[in-house]
């Protein structure tokens, strides 16, 4: 559910001059908010290259967490429909113009025996 | 005004009266507006206002969806909620709790932690003014049992949502019923989800499988088998034997999660039923849900003397979102037009009557 | 000699006779010796000799298991097989076909290729002297239909194995029955697998889950629910709600694949039944299978006038192989001691009679 | 089924002087033989190092096939209980003595909706 709404249009930005650091905004494909300890991961693939999890951080309401550390976060949430910013290191500088971005959100939903979450791929233009 | 000729309410104690108004109340779970709320095209106030505008005056809310900071929702949000209830003439009919047994990556929530989680959601229900709380289907019977005193002390009732594929003679529900009867049915009860009465396979689901390239013959096979109420036990096997791929297998899996039971199976449990989730997939018009026979379900509630809320739960959104604009308001409006007719609030608009 | 006092064969036409010998014949599927045959501790001749030694004179064979080069099994192997049948006084009761619809990695076998595969297995059955052929459960009804004339022309009958979780009112079997009735039941028929009558959860299966570290409370829950013949529809969900891990979930999945149906459901189809796979998990002694009530199954076949083979299918091997030495011969011997008693070949050895 | 019988004891041999080529014998964990096109793979892990599929061949009754080519073999079989020899290139020479070997056999069984096969790990002594 909400898969096509995970990646937010116009949200791809480079955060430094040499364009090796960038960010994109994502929403959680679920009908309620969730404690961050139940977010198992937000995997990015940019122009066909997977971004390693340890090159990625997760930010909501001004607080930044390493993606690999979300399992420990018991006192913060990703709210329903709330954009989270994913900052990442690109292996090579991202050129201006269009980029194909895939975001896979993996969630641990207690009443479901199988993994929850969703996947979205969009062509986003680097601002 | 109820049209007696089509209502079939013969067993109802008031069936002889022509202008009876039902004791059953109408409401909406804000779950129904999730698409627009997610996309911020409807605000929380818009959701409440829409429900009120169609006479659905009981508002069921998932606090983790409509508010932020669960379980410590800030006082200003609670105050705003109560102000809106006042302003729109609505009431909080129910809150919905989840039980995050997998909160920790490496261990299951202990029994004590599960009970504490439910108690925390009871506190929240009290703050929001809800008389009943939806306990999600994965809540174990022993957690219900040990949370019941706290519910009673707080004047609220924990209602287990009876959700497909569970039903009233299923072992899991039988275990819950035992706990409820032992407790006396004061702090505990049932919240039937009408998704246990899916008589026809929802076409929004099969149509999506076709859009995703599903083989017409296998999609038809699954739908026909379901509509004949055939045994879906090994349906995935059959679809596999016929060469079905992921789309067809996925549709078969969904078919095994839908069930149709006789609505009359709720009658022996009516005293425990405190609220009803009126699940629906697609309102064909103002009189008919495609899959769920509300014209035969509501008489069961009338017969049982139910006086709580029929609370809309629009579920079609996720099945059409890939290709169509979701219009939750129109779907909810149609369901309530149907309810108003079936509850005798106004003359039937069914020209075939 | 049948002990009438415990047989309960009242409806059988010969029930008044004291020394009747049943028309039902005893046999073994060599599937039963698979552990020893795989490990080369029994040769193919050893398997045949063992069956013959316990009076099981009908030998069911899976050509792809017992011989090499399928489907073009060399003539010398066929000649050797026929020589052994002669030598041991046995007969080929049935061959078992598989339908490898996924033979090609990138495409499903076409309908024509599927029919050709079945025809090839009919040729093989004729070479081996088998009157009936087990058609595996994934064989589509239309493949049975289009292979039937070739079966008739060759004087053999294709029998669909009715295997759990399928049963005689399941949509897949109903479709097959339609084809069989249209065909006239000459070239087509049924081969019931007694795994559809698993009344008690096989303890060889639950014991293994315990050996693998399964939680005792959840293993007991699954076994008890099964033994009460409760709805296993959402059993995996329940075990998940209670915190079950892979072992417990795996056991729950297995429980959904076992079924218990009333053996009398076979009666209306008796004319189509040409052979019986006498599945078993564990012979407790010479009189009792742990899970499957043969003492109530065999009377159904007697009542229906069945005169084909009860063909042993020992299935416990794979559930004990991790921890115990498999002794297929002893298991098969015990099942046939039970059959001999139940068929009236010799006095009951049940001291409680 | 038969998982613990997949790897055959005493079957680990080196096939050249420098011990970078070796072989091991395996049986199929299934109760009948199968056409080779339905053998999806036999994966080996030796002393914790996965052996690439393209460094592996499969031999039955004197005929050798690249493991990656089995899908095309429609006229030969792996019979019930029959030992198949898996030849492989080790990245580093295998010393004499004990080695931990894992074999994963992956099968495509037509009546099963999920992958078939099995897995076995044994300590084998290089002869
Ligand atoms: Mn619901
Ligand atoms: Mn069988």
């Amino acid at each position: 559910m909400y898969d096509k709404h995970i990646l937010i249009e116009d949200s791809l930005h480079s955060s430094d001059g040499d364009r090796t650091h960038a960010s994109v905004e994502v929403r959680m494909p679920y009908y309620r908010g969730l404690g961050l300890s139940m977010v198992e991961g937000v995997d990015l693939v940019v122009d066909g290259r997977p971004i390693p999890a340890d090159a990625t951080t997760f930010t909501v309401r001004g607080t930044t967490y390493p993606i690999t550390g979300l399992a420990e976060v018991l006192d913060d949430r990703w709210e329903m429909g709330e954009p989270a910013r994913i900052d990442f290191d690109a292996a090579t500088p991202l050129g201006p113009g269009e980029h194909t971005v895939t975001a896979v959100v993996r969630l641990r939903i207690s009443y479901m025996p199988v993994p929850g979450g969703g996947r979205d791929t969009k062509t986003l233009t680097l601002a | 005004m109820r049209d007696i000729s089509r209502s079939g309410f013969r067993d109802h104690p008031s069936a002889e009266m022509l202008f009876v108004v039902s004791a059953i109340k109408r409401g909406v779970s804000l779950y129904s507006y999730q698409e627009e709320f997610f996309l911020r095209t409807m605000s929380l106030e818009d959701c409440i206002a829409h429900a009120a505008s169609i006479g659905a005056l009981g508002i069921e809310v998932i606090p983790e969806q409509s508010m932020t900071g669960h379980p410590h929702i800030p006082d200003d949000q609670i105050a705003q909620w109560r102000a809106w209830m006042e302003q729109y003439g609505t009431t909080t009919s129910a809150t919905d709790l989840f039980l995050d047994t997998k909160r920790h990556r490496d261990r299951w929530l202990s029994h004590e932690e599960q009970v504490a989680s439910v108690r925390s959601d009871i506190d929240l229900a009290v703050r929001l003014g809800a008389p009943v709380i939806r306990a999600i289907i994965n809540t174990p019977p022993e957690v219900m049992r040990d949370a019941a005193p706290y519910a009673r002390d707080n004047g609220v009732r924990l209602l287990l949502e009876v959700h497909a594929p569970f039903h009233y003679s299923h072992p899991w529900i039988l275990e819950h019923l035992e706990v409820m009867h032992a407790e006396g049915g004061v702090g505990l009860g049932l919240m039937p989800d009408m998704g246990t009465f899916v008589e026809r396979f929802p076409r929004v689901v099969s149509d999506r499988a076709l859009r995703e390239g599903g083989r017409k013959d296998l999609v038809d096979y699954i739908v026909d088998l379901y509509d004949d109420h055939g045994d879906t036990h090994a349906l995935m096997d059959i679809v596999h034997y016929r060469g079905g791929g992921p789309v067809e297998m996925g549709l078969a899996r969904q078919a095994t999660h839908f069930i149709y039971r006789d609505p009359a199976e709720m009658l022996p449990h009516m005293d425990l039923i405190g609220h009803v989730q009126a699940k629906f997939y697609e309102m064909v018009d103002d009189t008919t849900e495609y899959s769920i026979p509300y014209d035969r379900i509501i008489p069961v509630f009338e017969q049982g003397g139910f006086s709580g809320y029929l609370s809309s739960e629009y579920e079609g959104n996720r099945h059409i979102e890939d290709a169509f604009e979701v219009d939750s308001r129109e779907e909810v409006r149609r369901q309530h037009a149907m309810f108003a007719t079936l509850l005798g609030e106004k003359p039937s608009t069914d020209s075939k009557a």
Side-chain angles (χ1 to χ4, degrees), chain A, chain B:
Chain A
M1 89 194 81
Y2 301 119
D3 282 42
K4 72 176 185 182
H5 299 306
I6 294 174
L7 282 163
I8 296 181
E9 304 279 0
D10 302 324
S11 73
L12 182 63
H13 296 281
S14 75
S15 42
D16 59 357
D18 64 2
R19 295 174 176 277
T20 59
H21 293 86
S23 67
V24 69
E25 287 182 358
V26 296
R27 286 176 289 220
M28 183 169 58
Y30 193 33
Y31 63 81
R32 62 168 173 141
L34 212 55
L36 294 184
S37 67
M38 292 171 275
V39 178
E40 300 221 309
V42 181
D43 307 326
L44 292 184
V45 180
V46 178
D47 298 326
R49 287 189 304 273
I51 309 292
D54 57 11
T56 312
T57 63
F58 179 96
T59 302
V60 276
R61 279 160 273 117
T63 309
T64 298
Y65 304 95
I67 282 270
T68 53
L70 289 179
E72 320 301 328
V73 183
L74 297 169
D75 58 356
D76 203 352
R77 293 170 60 80
W78 192 0
E79 300 289 359
M80 204 258 191
E82 178 181 42
R85 194 181 77 234
I86 311 294
D87 288 87
F88 60 97
D89 300 332
T92 55
L94 293 178
E98 294 192 338
H99 296 274
T100 304
V101 179
T102 294
V104 177
V105 179
R106 292 180 289 111
L107 305 173
R108 198 166 62 248
I109 309 291
S110 290
Y111 56 85
M112 282 168 48
V114 293
R119 156 190 305 264
D120 186 17
T121 297
K122 284 196 179 81
T123 301
L124 300 179
T125 303
L126 188 67
Chain B
M1 182 174 15
R2 176 185 295 156
D3 180 348
I4 288 287
S5 67
R6 66 183 288 276
S7 69
F9 285 7
R10 288 229 190 93
D11 296 333
H12 190 276
S14 311
E16 306 81 34
M17 298 171 57
L18 199 59
F19 297 95
V20 68
V21 171
S22 174
I24 298 173
K25 301 187 284 274
R26 293 193 285 112
V28 174
S29 167
L30 300 189
Y31 180 93
S32 301
Y33 305 112
Q34 61 176 268
E35 178 84 2
E36 290 88 345
F37 185 71
F38 180 101
L39 294 172
R40 310 299 196 231
T41 58
M42 282 178 83
S43 67
L44 181 53
E45 183 177 4
D46 290 340
C47 297
I48 297 163
H50 182 263
S53 77
I54 57 172
L57 301 182
I59 311 294
E60 179 176 349
V61 61
I62 301 174
E64 294 188 61
Q65 174 178 82
S66 298
M67 298 161 192
T68 60
H70 180 89
H72 309 294
I73 295 175
D75 284 337
D76 60 336
Q77 291 187 47
I78 305 285
Q80 178 63 73
W81 175 267
R82 285 182 168 271
W84 282 327
M85 292 300 107
E86 183 80 19
Q87 177 182 343
Y88 289 99
T90 49
T91 182
T92 313
S93 63
T95 57
D96 289 17
L97 74 74
F98 291 82
L99 184 64
D100 286 328
T101 49
K102 295 192 240 178
R103 183 162 187 240
H104 303 279
R105 180 171 49 180
D106 50 356
R107 67 175 182 86
W108 206 258
L109 227 53
S110 71
H111 173 72
E112 290 68 28
E113 288 170 322
Q114 292 183 43
V115 175
S117 169
V118 173
R119 288 169 63 119
S120 159
D121 284 312
I122 290 172
D123 291 340
L124 184 53
V126 170
R127 291 172 76 202
L128 287 165
V132 302
I133 301 167
R134 184 288 303 265
I136 193 165
I137 185 71
N138 66 318
T139 312
E142 59 274 17
V143 172
M144 295 289 278
R145 179 195 65 209
D146 292 345
Y150 194 71
R152 282 201 305 271
D153 292 348
N154 281 278
V156 297
R157 205 172 175 199
L158 282 170
L159 305 179
L160 183 79
E161 180 185 356
V162 182
H163 190 286
F166 294 93
H167 51 80
Y168 301 87
S169 53
H170 192 286
W172 181 248
I173 304 300
L174 294 177
E175 258 191 277
H176 273 280
L177 285 170
E178 205 169 304
V179 166
M180 287 172 195
H181 285 292
E183 190 271 340
V186 179
L188 300 180
L190 298 168
M191 186 181 292
D193 180 302
M194 298 299 98
T196 58
F197 307 114
V198 173
E199 190 172 27
R200 269 217 288 188
F201 197 84
R203 68 181 174 188
V204 290
V205 177
S206 49
D207 283 353
R208 180 168 191 172
L210 291 173
R211 282 199 299 281
E212 289 175 350
R215 270 169 51 190
K216 179 87 167 63
D217 63 325
L218 286 178
V219 170
D220 288 349
Y221 182 88
I222 293 164
V223 169
D224 290 348
L225 187 147
Y226 186 89
D227 288 353
D228 291 345
H229 301 165
D231 186 346
T232 58
H233 200 98
L235 180 55
M236 289 182 67
D237 296 274
I238 298 178
V239 170
H240 174 248
Y241 299 163
R242 292 215 182 268
V247 172
E248 297 87 357
M249 290 291 273
L251 190 69
R253 180 183 291 110
Q254 290 184 79
T256 67
H257 285 97
F258 291 122
I259 62 170
Y260 175 68
R261 306 285 299 195
D262 182 349
E265 289 182 14
M266 293 187 293
L267 275 176
H269 311 290
M270 206 53 85
D271 288 347
L272 286 172
I273 296 177
H275 185 87
V276 173
Q277 288 190 332
K279 168 81 51 73
F280 70 110
Y281 293 93
E282 181 192 7
M283 290 302 301
V284 174
D285 53 28
D286 283 7
T287 66
T288 311
E289 207 284 328
Y290 185 81
S291 297
I292 301 174
Y294 278 99
D295 59 337
R296 286 186 285 113
I297 288 172
I298 287 179
V300 170
F301 287 118
E302 298 276 12
Q303 186 185 340
F306 176 67
S307 60
Y309 283 97
L310 281 182
S311 186
S312 293
E313 247 194 356
Y314 174 48
E315 188 83 18
N317 36 41
R318 66 186 56 170
H319 303 293
I320 65 169
E321 61 177 1
D322 61 308
F324 301 100
E325 185 99 358
V326 174
D327 188 350
S328 307
R329 275 171 283 219
E330 173 62 7
E331 291 287 334
V332 172
R333 185 199 65 72
R334 289 183 185 182
Q335 195 191 30
H336 279 267
M338 174 179 74
F339 286 163
T341 303
L342 292 173
L343 294 171
E345 289 181 32
K346 58 177 189 182
S348 168
T349 57
D350 182 351
S351 58
K352 291 171 296 183

